[in-house]
Amino acid sequence: MRLWRALKAAGAAAIRDGVYVLPSNEASWSFLRVQATEVTEAGGSAHVIPFTAADGGQEAELRQAFDRTALYAESLERVTRLKTDLPGLSEVDARRQLVALRRELAGIAGVDFFPGPARNQAEGALRDAEQAVNAQFSPDEPHATKGTITRRNLADYHGRRWATRRHLWVDRVASAWLIHRFIDPAAQFLWLASPADCPADVLGFDFDGAAFTHVGPRVSFEVLAVSFGLDHDPGLVRMGRLAHYLDVGGVPVADAAGFASVMTGARARRGDDDDGLLADIGTVLDCLYAAYLDIPGELS
């Protein structure tokens, strides 16, 4: 049963009893070798054998064994149901469902070895649902501006007051953490009921007309990182990708569903206490940053 579950989770296709196939790549080889070792150590027999399709017909038949269209269709149905039910949902319920759907779709995509239109359709529907949730519960989300990002001098931004919209979500809380951690350790924050409430002498972020907000394809976290020359820090680059995906979509990030779940729970726990929320999520972001720094490899 343990072997069967492992093969199922890896997306292996059964072509007959006891015969499982995976596309040939290093990850598949490594996985199957581990399973074969467990089988032989338990007294059974197992072989990992490379093979290629004899002709185009057999190739098509093998690829069909990995077709995930039905799984995407089920996920798409749940996304559609969320959008239909959205007017009657609380923000906590809506975001919890989004987290579950994001995790479900990521799981399907992880074993979708030959992606096609079904995956694009499901991912597009999820992005639409995320935008609908944000439009309902965060109607003041900023619109991207055009132009270049000006480099700023850190020394000019110490001990300042900063402001963003209250009821923090991913980009705002990540931006506040970035400000306090890397830009202005003595920063004071105001949480605004409306962007129009921002005092003239306060530095706004993540709303239309703010000093730091979306520019082109970059979300506010990424704009702040570029503005203060922090965009070459590999840990912050990875965190920027996380904030970007959860805020406006794009390239999926492995930690996105987990972080969104933690964020949803923290918001439910803290209610209107954005200072407490920043403190809680700040610790999570500190841990993520430390973990991201330890990931080997170059970032493009």
Side-chain angles (χ1 to χ4, degrees):
M1 183 60 69
R2 185 172 66 250
L3 175 66
W4 176 81
R5 286 175 176 164
L7 289 164
K8 183 177 170 64
I15 57 176
R16 58 172 295 174
D17 289 346
V19 180
Y20 292 86
V21 295
L22 281 169
S24 181
N25 55 51
E26 188 54 42
S28 295
W29 276 100
S30 176
F31 167 77
L32 289 174
R33 287 191 189 102
V34 170
Q35 306 312 311
T37 299
E38 287 197 14
V39 170
T40 54
E41 288 178 349
S45 62
H47 304 280
V48 182
I49 303 170
F51 73 95
T52 57
D55 53 40
Q58 189 179 68
E59 174 77 14
E61 185 178 348
L62 286 168
R63 282 178 177 254
Q64 185 62 32
F66 297 103
D67 183 21
R68 312 301 184 198
T69 301
L71 295 176
Y72 283 123
E74 293 174 4
S75 183
L76 184 60
E77 180 62 30
R78 283 186 275 275
V79 172
T80 301
R81 192 178 308 127
L82 169 60
K83 292 175 70 175
T84 301
D85 296 343
L86 185 57
L89 295 176
S90 69
E91 182 175 9
V92 170
D93 286 340
R95 294 204 182 276
R96 279 177 177 162
Q97 289 191 40
L98 269 182
V99 167
L101 288 167
R102 193 181 289 115
R103 184 179 292 113
E104 176 184 282
L105 189 55
I108 300 170
V111 294
D112 185 10
F113 306 114
F114 307 103
R119 176 173 175 176
N120 295 335
Q121 183 180 6
E123 291 178 342
L126 182 59
R127 285 194 297 270
D128 289 344
E130 290 170 336
Q131 291 173 1
V133 169
N134 286 332
Q136 178 163 316
F137 299 109
S138 299
D140 293 325
E141 283 295 308
H143 300 84
T145 61
K146 296 180 180 180
T148 58
I149 300 173
T150 304
R151 288 283 186 177
R152 313 292 181 113
N153 185 352
L154 276 172
D156 297 332
Y157 290 85
H158 286 175
R160 303 289 296 273
R161 290 199 299 163
W162 302 75
T164 192
R165 295 166 293 132
R166 65 185 183 184
H167 303 313
L168 301 176
W169 187 239
V170 175
D171 195 18
R172 279 169 282 155
V173 77
S175 294
W177 171 85
L178 181 68
I179 291 166
H180 190 260
R181 182 83 155 72
F182 291 92
I183 298 170
D184 184 3
Q188 299 178 41
F189 291 103
L190 300 178
W191 315 120
L192 308 171
S194 167
D197 298 334
C198 186
D201 62 338
V202 173
L203 294 167
F205 61 97
D206 202 49
F207 58 83
D208 286 339
F212 303 94
T213 188
H214 295 204
V215 177
R218 291 184 171 94
V219 299
S220 298
F221 180 97
E222 295 169 305
V223 169
L224 281 160
V226 173
S227 297
F228 292 96
L230 303 169
D231 50 319
H232 298 297
D233 181 315
L236 295 182
V237 170
R238 291 185 169 100
M239 295 184 74
R241 291 177 178 174
L242 176 68
H244 186 109
Y245 175 67
L246 288 174
D247 197 51
V248 298
V251 178
V253 175
D255 298 321
F259 183 76
S261 184
V262 171
M263 187 76 196
T264 298
R267 290 184 77 181
R269 173 173 176 265
R270 287 293 187 174
D272 293 331
D273 180 11
D274 282 317
D275 289 314
L277 178 64
L278 177 57
D280 288 348
I281 297 300
T283 300
V284 176
L285 292 170
D286 282 338
C287 295
L288 270 177
Y289 176 68
Y292 287 165
L293 284 178
D294 284 340
I295 297 176
E298 294 295 324
L299 288 167
S300 57

